[in-house]
Amino acid sequence: MKRSEMICKTCIKFDSARCRLHPEPIPVADPATHWCAQGQWEQWSERYQEMEPYYWGEWEDAKPAEA
């Protein structure tokens, strides 16, 4: 998963217009662009052949540009 895909709108903890990462749900002004540093997402696992949780900090490394 790419860092740019880790937004509120696609987070497992996002419900309608509120973030549920904390005990008290908080509103998010623009979930389509809000980049989250605590979220949890789902992505397809070829290894397990099912959806699995994907956490912040596991993003794909950017490949260095060829000279």
Side-chain angles (χ1 to χ4, degrees):
M1 176 170 273
K2 296 178 180 160
R3 286 173 70 173
S4 60
E5 296 170 351
M6 297 175 140
I7 55 174
C8 282
K9 188 175 179 180
T10 58
C11 180
I12 293 169
K13 302 289 185 179
F14 183 73
D15 179 26
S16 236
R18 299 191 177 273
C19 173
R20 299 191 181 274
L21 282 171
H22 305 284
E24 192 68 32
I26 55 172
V28 178
D30 191 1
T33 60
H34 187 253
W35 195 46
C36 183
Q38 299 177 10
Q40 178 182 344
W41 297 266
E42 282 191 332
Q43 77 169 12
W44 182 254
S45 169
E46 288 296 328
R47 180 177 179 189
Y48 299 113
Q49 292 296 299
E50 64 183 26
M51 297 301 281
E52 67 176 346
Y54 194 87
Y55 300 94
W56 174 259
E58 297 179 350
W59 57 77
E60 298 169 357
D61 292 330
K63 294 183 179 180
E66 296 292 324

mmCIF file of all heavy atoms in Angstrom, residues 5 8 16 21 24 29 31 33 37 39 43 49 58 63-64:
data_model
loop_
_atom_site.group_PDB
_atom_site.id
_atom_site.type_symbol
_atom_site.label_atom_id
_atom_site.label_comp_id
_atom_site.label_asym_id
_atom_site.label_seq_id
_atom_site.Cartn_x
_atom_site.Cartn_y
_atom_site.Cartn_z
ATOM 1 N N GLU A 5 -2.329 6.443 -0.266
ATOM 2 C CA GLU A 5 -3.618 5.753 -0.141
ATOM 3 C C GLU A 5 -4.088 5.672 1.308
ATOM 4 O O GLU A 5 -5.206 5.249 1.572
ATOM 5 C CB GLU A 5 -3.504 4.343 -0.711
ATOM 6 C CG GLU A 5 -3.214 4.322 -2.200
ATOM 7 C CD GLU A 5 -2.873 2.932 -2.707
ATOM 8 O OE1 GLU A 5 -2.703 2.008 -1.881
ATOM 9 O OE2 GLU A 5 -2.768 2.777 -3.932
ATOM 10 N N CYS A 8 -8.213 8.942 5.499
ATOM 11 C CA CYS A 8 -9.369 8.621 6.358
ATOM 12 C C CYS A 8 -10.465 7.870 5.613
ATOM 13 O O CYS A 8 -11.035 6.918 6.131
ATOM 14 C CB CYS A 8 -9.960 9.889 6.950
ATOM 15 S SG CYS A 8 -9.017 10.529 8.336
ATOM 16 N N SER A 16 -18.568 7.083 8.281
ATOM 17 C CA SER A 16 -19.344 8.220 7.796
ATOM 18 C C SER A 16 -18.486 9.470 7.749
ATOM 19 O O SER A 16 -17.734 9.651 6.823
ATOM 20 C CB SER A 16 -20.569 8.430 8.677
ATOM 21 O OG SER A 16 -21.727 8.396 7.933
ATOM 22 N N LEU A 21 -10.692 6.289 15.902
ATOM 23 C CA LEU A 21 -9.435 5.809 16.463
ATOM 24 C C LEU A 21 -9.369 6.031 17.963
ATOM 25 O O LEU A 21 -8.708 5.310 18.680
ATOM 26 C CB LEU A 21 -8.245 6.528 15.807
ATOM 27 C CG LEU A 21 -7.870 6.031 14.420
ATOM 28 C CD1 LEU A 21 -6.850 6.952 13.781
ATOM 29 C CD2 LEU A 21 -7.338 4.623 14.477
ATOM 30 N N GLU A 24 -13.656 8.613 21.846
ATOM 31 C CA GLU A 24 -14.717 9.526 21.437
ATOM 32 C C GLU A 24 -14.568 9.829 19.950
ATOM 33 O O GLU A 24 -13.541 10.354 19.527
ATOM 34 C CB GLU A 24 -14.618 10.822 22.252
ATOM 35 C CG GLU A 24 -15.809 11.723 22.137
ATOM 36 C CD GLU A 24 -17.057 11.139 22.783
ATOM 37 O OE1 GLU A 24 -16.933 10.402 23.775
ATOM 38 O OE2 GLU A 24 -18.147 11.405 22.264
ATOM 39 N N ALA A 29 -12.865 16.870 8.619
ATOM 40 C CA ALA A 29 -13.361 17.852 7.654
ATOM 41 C C ALA A 29 -13.310 17.337 6.218
ATOM 42 O O ALA A 29 -14.279 17.450 5.479
ATOM 43 C CB ALA A 29 -12.579 19.147 7.783
ATOM 44 N N PRO A 31 -12.198 13.852 4.596
ATOM 45 C CA PRO A 31 -11.650 12.496 4.685
ATOM 46 C C PRO A 31 -10.997 11.986 3.406
ATOM 47 O O PRO A 31 -10.200 11.065 3.446
ATOM 48 C CB PRO A 31 -12.856 11.638 5.050
ATOM 49 C CG PRO A 31 -14.039 12.429 4.639
ATOM 50 C CD PRO A 31 -13.644 13.861 4.751
ATOM 51 N N THR A 33 -8.842 13.598 1.622
ATOM 52 C CA THR A 33 -7.464 14.081 1.513
ATOM 53 C C THR A 33 -6.710 14.032 2.835
ATOM 54 O O THR A 33 -5.510 14.239 2.859
ATOM 55 C CB THR A 33 -7.418 15.536 0.997
ATOM 56 O OG1 THR A 33 -8.126 16.372 1.902
ATOM 57 C CG2 THR A 33 -8.014 15.633 -0.396
ATOM 58 N N ALA A 37 -1.858 9.163 10.344
ATOM 59 C CA ALA A 37 -0.650 8.522 10.843
ATOM 60 C C ALA A 37 -0.952 7.456 11.889
ATOM 61 O O ALA A 37 -0.046 6.936 12.513
ATOM 62 C CB ALA A 37 0.284 9.576 11.448
ATOM 63 N N GLY A 39 -3.962 5.215 11.329
ATOM 64 C CA GLY A 39 -5.048 4.401 10.800
ATOM 65 C C GLY A 39 -4.726 2.940 10.563
ATOM 66 O O GLY A 39 -3.625 2.457 10.792
ATOM 67 N N GLN A 43 -5.882 -4.625 2.780
ATOM 68 C CA GLN A 43 -5.427 -4.870 1.420
ATOM 69 C C GLN A 43 -5.345 -6.371 1.195
ATOM 70 O O GLN A 43 -5.282 -7.152 2.135
ATOM 71 C CB GLN A 43 -4.092 -4.191 1.157
ATOM 72 C CG GLN A 43 -2.886 -4.872 1.737
ATOM 73 C CD GLN A 43 -1.599 -4.263 1.202
ATOM 74 O OE1 GLN A 43 -1.602 -3.205 0.586
ATOM 75 N NE2 GLN A 43 -0.499 -4.912 1.450
ATOM 76 N N GLN A 49 -4.374 -15.210 0.714
ATOM 77 C CA GLN A 49 -5.526 -15.215 -0.172
ATOM 78 C C GLN A 49 -6.782 -14.660 0.505
ATOM 79 O O GLN A 49 -7.878 -15.207 0.386
ATOM 80 C CB GLN A 49 -5.789 -16.629 -0.705
ATOM 81 C CG GLN A 49 -4.711 -17.128 -1.640
ATOM 82 C CD GLN A 49 -4.625 -16.294 -2.912
ATOM 83 O OE1 GLN A 49 -5.572 -16.207 -3.671
ATOM 84 N NE2 GLN A 49 -3.473 -15.676 -3.134
ATOM 85 N N GLU A 58 3.926 0.726 7.234
ATOM 86 C CA GLU A 58 4.265 -0.440 6.431
ATOM 87 C C GLU A 58 4.242 -0.124 4.937
ATOM 88 O O GLU A 58 4.170 -1.017 4.121
ATOM 89 C CB GLU A 58 3.271 -1.572 6.713
ATOM 90 C CG GLU A 58 3.284 -2.067 8.136
ATOM 91 C CD GLU A 58 2.261 -3.166 8.382
ATOM 92 O OE1 GLU A 58 1.418 -3.430 7.520
ATOM 93 O OE2 GLU A 58 2.304 -3.749 9.463
ATOM 94 N N LYS A 63 11.339 3.462 -4.900
ATOM 95 C CA LYS A 63 12.565 3.039 -5.571
ATOM 96 C C LYS A 63 13.373 4.262 -5.971
ATOM 97 O O LYS A 63 12.795 5.255 -6.419
ATOM 98 C CB LYS A 63 12.223 2.201 -6.801
ATOM 99 C CG LYS A 63 11.565 0.894 -6.439
ATOM 100 C CD LYS A 63 11.305 0.071 -7.659
ATOM 101 C CE LYS A 63 10.655 -1.244 -7.245
ATOM 102 N NZ LYS A 63 10.371 -2.094 -8.365
ATOM 103 N N PRO A 64 14.693 4.208 -5.808
ATOM 104 C CA PRO A 64 15.511 5.364 -6.205
ATOM 105 C C PRO A 64 15.450 5.574 -7.711
ATOM 106 O O PRO A 64 15.317 4.631 -8.482
ATOM 107 C CB PRO A 64 16.920 4.984 -5.754
ATOM 108 C CG PRO A 64 16.895 3.504 -5.531
ATOM 109 C CD PRO A 64 15.474 3.118 -5.270
#
